[in-house]
Amino acid sequence: MPYFDDDEPVFKKQKWGNPRYVYNPRNPVGMFLIVVSLVVVVVGLVSLSNKSPTESKPYAPYPSTDYSALFRSLEAQRTASASPTATVSASVTPSRSADASATPTPSR
């Protein structure tokens, strides 16, 4: 008696009493579906393990770009076209009387 039989159904009921169907390994199509399912599961698990966040090798850094030449040319343009303008000093603080009149006092 050969192992594969074309007269066997592709799916058969499970013998354990529940109404589920399983692949029939005695049918060539059923055996093919079993092998394909196993290959898909193995490939999926391997691809997940390759993308795990706990792997020991770090991600490759971005390639280094030297922006110093760009900054130097921008600085040269800025200093060449600089005109005398008024600058605001950061050390100037408003007087306390101006602060008191500008902000309302909370009432209770």
Side-chain angles (χ1 to χ4, degrees), residues 34-101:
I34 291 171
V35 170
V36 167
S37 299
L38 290 174
V39 167
V40 166
V41 167
V42 167
V43 167
L45 289 175
V46 168
S47 69
L48 285 175
S49 70
N50 286 342
K51 296 177 183 176
S52 71
T54 60
E55 62 186 24
S56 61
K57 57 183 176 182
Y59 293 107
Y62 288 110
S64 176
T65 306
D66 184 25
Y67 290 110
S68 61
L70 175 67
F71 290 138
R72 275 187 260 126
S73 66
L74 290 175
E75 183 68 22
Q77 288 175 359
R78 188 177 67 89
T79 56
S81 66
S83 61
T85 59
T87 59
V88 178
S89 174
S91 64
V92 176
T93 58
S95 65
R96 291 184 184 248
S97 63
D99 285 343
S101 64

Side-chain angles (χ1 to χ4, degrees), residues 3-23:
Y3 183 74
F4 291 119
D5 187 11
D6 289 337
D7 295 333
E8 288 275 337
V10 176
F11 301 101
K12 64 179 182 177
K13 278 194 174 185
Q14 199 173 19
K15 295 181 182 179
W16 293 343
N18 49 13
R20 285 193 280 177
Y21 285 87
V22 294
Y23 297 135

